[in-house]
């Protein structure tokens, strides 16, 4: 069995000034300073009535919110402030939904995707119905699977032949497409990486799985199962850019052991790997991380090629870190030359 996926101003002060101008009574002080006095008009004493009219029209363009007769903010002479109408929540909602869907699609495509576990081949590490989150980012930077990682990969060729695939409805298809729901159509499997390119892997009946001659202590194997008595194998040399995978429920997993006669010899090409499953996200009571077991850190398990790669990693990282510093320094020197 296998795993598939996974202020309002009225201008009244100016108006009062105009009215008072008609009777020769000085308008209120607020109307008297509401504008620049036009030629030929007294304004301050209200004698001609012109000041009041100007105050009412808001021609001076002053601060309408203070209610001192200054013109309103849109200069329409109405004396009423028009606040900019905010966009309705219901008009903004489709935009917010659109942005959320685009972000979800980007995350699903490049960062993290959810997968469901439909079988028992990874018990007890993973149970049927679990939802796992898979890291899809690191493979974009050239990272390859490591020993002990639980990985999701596309069917490398015939592993899921004859397995029923559930037919989702339109809503499920859409949610799967944007990554909000595990895909039920894609033919993906989930297994544990036992050996990587350059390793020698084997398992004899009654014995443990050995990687580069080192026996593995496998506490994750389903209780009651043997490491490989149902299907012994090897020794096999794992080709570069391929991995050897096995399910934790050894007696219930059609893994690499059962596909040694196919085109890939039972190995999974690295370019078929979707990413590493790093956490059980659902159901809540099953939440847990999926770390690499300590057995894969034992001395001597790494072959020579792997050791060389590991020792060169700090040098590569150092070189990558130096590039932006060099570019920044060159930019400063160039800027200095230009200034001179």
């Amino acid at each position: 069995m296998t795993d598939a996926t996974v202020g309002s101003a009225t201008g009244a002060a100016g108006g009062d000034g105009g009215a008072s101008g008609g009777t020769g009574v000085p308008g209120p002080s607020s109307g008297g300073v509401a504008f620049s006095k036009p030629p030929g008009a007294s304004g301050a004493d209200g004698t001609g009535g012109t000041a009041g009219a100007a105050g009412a029209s808001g021609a001076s363009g002053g601060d309408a919110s203070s209610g001192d007769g200054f013109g309103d903010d849109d200069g329409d002479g109405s004396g009423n402030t028009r606040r900019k109408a905010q966009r309705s929540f219901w008009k903004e909602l489709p935009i917010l939904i659109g942005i959320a869907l685009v972000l979800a699609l980007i995350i699903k495509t490049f960062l993290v995707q959810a997968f469901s576990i439909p079988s028992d081949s990874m018990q007890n590490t993973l149970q049927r119905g679990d939802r796992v989150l898979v890291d899809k980012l690191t493979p974009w930077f050239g990272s390859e699977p490591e020993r002990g990682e639980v990985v999701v990969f596309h069917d490398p060729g015939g592993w899921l032949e004859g397995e029923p695939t559930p037919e989702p409805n339109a809503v499920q298809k859409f949610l799967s497409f944007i990554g909000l729901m595990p895909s039920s159509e894609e033919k993906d499997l989930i297994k544990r990486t036992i050996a990587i390119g350059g390793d020698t892997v084997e398992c004899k009946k009654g014995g443990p799985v050995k990687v580069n001659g080192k026996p593995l202590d496998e506490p994750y194997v389903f209780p009651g199962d043997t490491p490989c008595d149902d299907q012994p194998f090897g020794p096999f040399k794992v080709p570069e850019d391929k991995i050897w995978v096995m399910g934790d429920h050894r007696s219930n997993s059609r893994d690499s052991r059962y596909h040694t006669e196919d085109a890939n010899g039972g190995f999974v090409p690295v370019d078929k790997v979707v990413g590493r499953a790093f956490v059980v996200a659902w159901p809540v009571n099953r939440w847990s991380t999926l770390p690499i077991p300590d057995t894969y850190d034992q001395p001597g398990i790494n072959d020579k090629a792997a050791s060389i790669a590991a020792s060169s990693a700090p040098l590569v990282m150092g070189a990558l870190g130096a590039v932006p510093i060099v570019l920044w320094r060159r930019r400063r020197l160039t800027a200095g030359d230009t200034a001179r």
Side-chain angles (χ1 to χ4, degrees):
M1 297 182 68
T2 51
D3 295 337
T5 60
V6 222
S8 172
T10 64
D16 289 347
S20 298
T23 60
V25 179
S29 59
S30 60
V33 296
F35 56 93
S36 298
K37 183 169 64 173
S42 62
D45 57 7
T47 55
T50 309
S57 68
S60 67
D63 183 2
S65 63
S66 64
D68 58 2
F70 281 50
D72 54 73
D73 59 354
D74 57 6
D76 63 356
S78 66
N80 293 321
T81 301
R82 291 182 181 176
R83 292 185 177 179
K84 260 187 178 178
Q86 293 185 352
R87 184 175 298 182
S88 165
F89 168 77
W90 297 108
K91 290 181 179 180
E92 288 186 346
L93 185 60
I95 299 175
L96 295 175
I97 293 175
I99 293 173
L101 293 178
V102 170
L103 289 176
L105 182 59
I106 292 173
I107 291 172
K108 174 245 184 178
T109 304
F110 301 104
L111 303 177
V112 175
Q113 185 175 359
F115 287 84
S116 61
I117 308 301
S119 75
D120 301 324
S121 68
M122 282 295 291
Q123 285 182 319
N124 273 335
T125 304
L126 299 173
Q127 302 289 348
R128 188 190 295 261
D130 283 353
R131 301 290 191 269
V132 297
L133 298 184
V134 174
D135 169 23
K136 301 177 68 174
L137 177 63
T138 50
W140 284 87
F141 294 93
S143 175
E144 295 190 357
E146 296 182 12
R147 303 176 194 89
E149 289 183 346
V150 176
V151 295
V152 170
F153 55 95
H154 299 310
D155 187 346
W159 288 31
L160 292 174
E161 189 174 348
E163 290 287 334
T165 302
E167 183 62 31
N169 57 39
V171 175
Q172 290 173 324
K173 287 182 178 180
F174 176 70
L175 293 177
S176 297
F177 174 71
I178 61 175
L180 296 181
M181 181 176 178
S183 174
S184 59
E185 288 185 302
E186 295 178 1
K187 297 223 169 185
D188 297 319
L189 302 96
I190 185 166
K191 305 291 179 191
R192 188 179 298 276
T193 304
I194 302 298
I196 60 176
D199 288 345
T200 298
V201 60
E202 63 179 314
C203 184
K204 302 302 182 184
K205 189 168 184 176
V209 175
K210 293 182 179 180
V211 177
N212 299 326
K214 297 294 181 178
L216 299 180
D217 176 19
E218 300 184 283
Y220 46 78
V221 171
F222 186 74
D225 277 4
T226 60
C228 68
D229 284 4
D230 57 308
Q231 187 73 21
F233 63 92
F236 296 133
K237 181 81 169 181
V238 184
E240 294 299 327
D241 298 323
K242 288 185 171 60
I243 58 176
W244 178 270
V245 299
M246 298 172 71
D248 290 355
H249 196 342
R250 297 287 161 81
S251 63
N252 195 18
S253 176
R254 305 285 293 184
D255 46 42
S256 289
R257 298 171 295 160
Y258 291 88
H259 300 281
T260 57
E261 302 300 322
D262 67 13
N264 293 304
F267 304 107
V268 177
V270 169
D271 60 10
K272 292 285 188 180
V273 176
V274 177
R276 173 188 176 184
F278 64 96
V279 67
V280 179
W282 188 263
V284 176
N285 64 343
R286 289 272 303 149
W287 189 94
S288 62
T289 58
L290 298 169
I292 297 176
D294 293 339
T295 188
Y296 294 94
D297 294 328
Q298 61 179 299
I301 198 172
N302 293 315
D303 63 359
K304 184 177 179 181
S307 298
I308 292 174
S311 63
S312 64
L315 180 61
V316 174
M317 295 300 293
L320 291 175
V323 170
I325 298 175
V326 171
L327 293 176
W328 173 76
R329 181 172 177 77
R330 285 175 60 85
R331 189 177 301 168
R332 287 196 62 188
L333 291 174
T334 304
D337 292 341
T338 304
R340 286 197 295 269

